[in-house]
Amino acid sequence: AVRLCRILSNGYALKDFGGATDVPLQQNYLIVSDINRFVFALGCTEFGSATFDPMTIRWSDQEDPFNWTPEATNQAGFLRLSRGSKIITGLQSRQEILVWTDAAVYSLQYVGAPIVWSAQLVGDNISIVGQNAVAFANGVSYWMGKDKFYIYNGNVATLNCDLRQYVFSDINTAQYAQVFAGTNEGFNEIWWFYCSANSTVVDKYVVYNYAEDLWHYGNMGRTAWLDATMVRFPLAATYDNTIVQHEYGLNDNTTG
C-alpha cells in the first residue's frame, strides 16, 4: 500500500508496476483499511474510464493493492456517494471508515461479498475545512467545519465551543487547506492549527480537552504534528525546518 501511494503521488500509470490492473490514476484522497486490508481511492477516476468523478469511491482487492478490477473471484469494487459535490477526506476509526464530502459524513462498513463495502449516511448538512482537519481520539472523531466544530461518536453533533467566535472571526478562509488537526492523548487534547485572517502561513492554534470539556488557544507556527504514540513526546515541525518536542520542559527551544 505504501508503494501504491508513492506511485500514485508521483503520477505514474500504475498498469506498468507489478501487474497492477485498473488502478484509478487520479484521486482526491487515499486511505488504507488497516483492519480489513483494503486500499481506498476517495474521489477518483471511474472504473473502466478516464473520467474523474469526485464522488466515486473505489477499493482494491483485499490484501492486494495492485488489483482494482472487480470480479467474482476477488473483492475489488466501487460505489458512488450522493450527498455533496466532492469527497474531501477519510479516516479509519475502530470498526468503520469515515468519509467526508463537502456536505455530509458517511460510514463505510465491510459486509463481505458480493457488496463488500456498504455506505451509510451518518451526518448531513455539515462542513469540513480540509483534508487534514479531522482527528480521532478516545473512540471519537473531531473536525473543524467552516463555522463550527463537530464530533462523531456514533452520531454527528456540533461540538460546543467557547472560542467559536474567536476562531472563525479570525481565520483565513482562502487557506482552509492548510488547517490540520492532531491529538495529544497524554493530555486528552485535540489540536487544530490554522492561518489567521491576515496570514498565509499557519500561525494560530486552538485546543479542545475532551476529558474536561475545556478550550484554550494561542499563537504558534507549525507545519506538521505527530502524537507521542511511538515516541516519548509529541513532535512538531516548524517553518525553519526544525523538529521540536512538545510537553517537554518550559521552553520551546526552537532556536536551540
Side-chain angles (χ1 to χ4, degrees):
V2 171
R3 180 186 176 201
L4 173 68
C5 293
R6 185 180 301 117
I7 293 169
L8 278 173
S9 67
N10 290 337
Y12 295 111
L14 296 194
K15 64 182 180 181
D16 298 330
F17 292 85
T21 60
D22 294 312
V23 178
L25 300 182
Q26 184 180 355
Q27 67 291 315
N28 278 347
Y29 198 78
L30 283 173
I31 189 172
V32 177
S33 168
D34 55 0
I35 299 175
N36 302 106
R37 302 176 69 82
F38 290 82
V39 179
F40 287 84
L42 307 179
C44 59
T45 46
E46 299 173 349
F47 172 65
S49 170
T51 302
F52 177 79
D53 182 356
M55 292 292 284
T56 287
I57 297 175
R58 293 178 58 190
W59 58 87
S60 69
D61 188 18
Q62 191 172 32
E63 298 191 359
D64 186 356
F66 296 98
N67 185 359
W68 295 69
T69 305
E71 295 177 338
T73 55
N74 68 29
Q75 296 194 75
F78 61 91
L79 57 83
R80 189 179 192 280
L81 304 182
S82 59
R83 302 292 181 91
S85 62
K86 63 180 178 179
I87 295 172
I88 304 297
T89 193
L91 179 74
Q92 169 77 65
S93 65
R94 287 179 176 174
Q95 301 295 331
E96 59 193 342
I97 289 180
L98 299 175
V99 177
W100 283 260
T101 73
D102 53 0
V105 186
Y106 285 84
S107 169
L108 299 184
Q109 297 189 351
Y110 179 69
V111 296
I115 297 174
V116 186
W117 287 89
S118 68
Q120 178 183 359
L121 180 68
V122 295
D124 203 358
N125 297 316
I126 60 93
S127 63
I128 184 169
V129 295
Q131 289 185 341
N132 301 313
V134 58
F136 181 79
N138 198 35
V140 180
S141 299
Y142 302 83
W143 72 96
M144 178 189 283
K146 293 183 177 180
D147 59 358
K148 64 184 71 173
F149 294 90
Y150 297 89
I151 63 169
Y152 172 74
N153 57 5
N155 296 291
V156 173
T158 298
L159 184 60
N160 292 328
C161 178
D162 300 330
L163 300 175
R164 178 178 174 183
Q165 183 175 357
Y166 171 84
V167 173
F168 293 106
S169 65
D170 184 25
I171 188 170
N172 190 338
T173 59
Q175 301 296 328
Y176 277 154
Q178 292 199 59
V179 174
F180 67 96
T183 61
N184 187 2
E185 293 205 42
F187 291 85
N188 305 307
E189 293 174 342
I190 307 294
W191 289 58
W192 285 274
F193 293 88
Y194 62 97
C195 304
S196 61
N198 296 317
S199 177
T200 57
V201 297
V202 173
D203 61 346
K204 287 197 171 187
Y205 67 89
V206 61
V207 179
Y208 176 61
N209 185 308
Y210 49 84
E212 300 180 22
D213 192 26
L214 294 175
W215 293 83
H216 64 272
Y217 64 95
N219 301 317
M220 186 185 300
R222 295 291 186 265
T223 61
W225 179 275
L226 175 67
D227 201 356
T229 52
M230 296 181 291
V231 292
R232 186 178 177 187
F233 301 102
L235 299 179
T238 71
Y239 278 98
D240 61 359
N241 304 315
T242 302
I243 302 297
V244 296
Q245 293 178 324
H246 280 246
E247 312 300 349
Y248 176 68
L250 301 176
N251 189 314
D252 64 12
N253 199 33
T254 54
T255 60

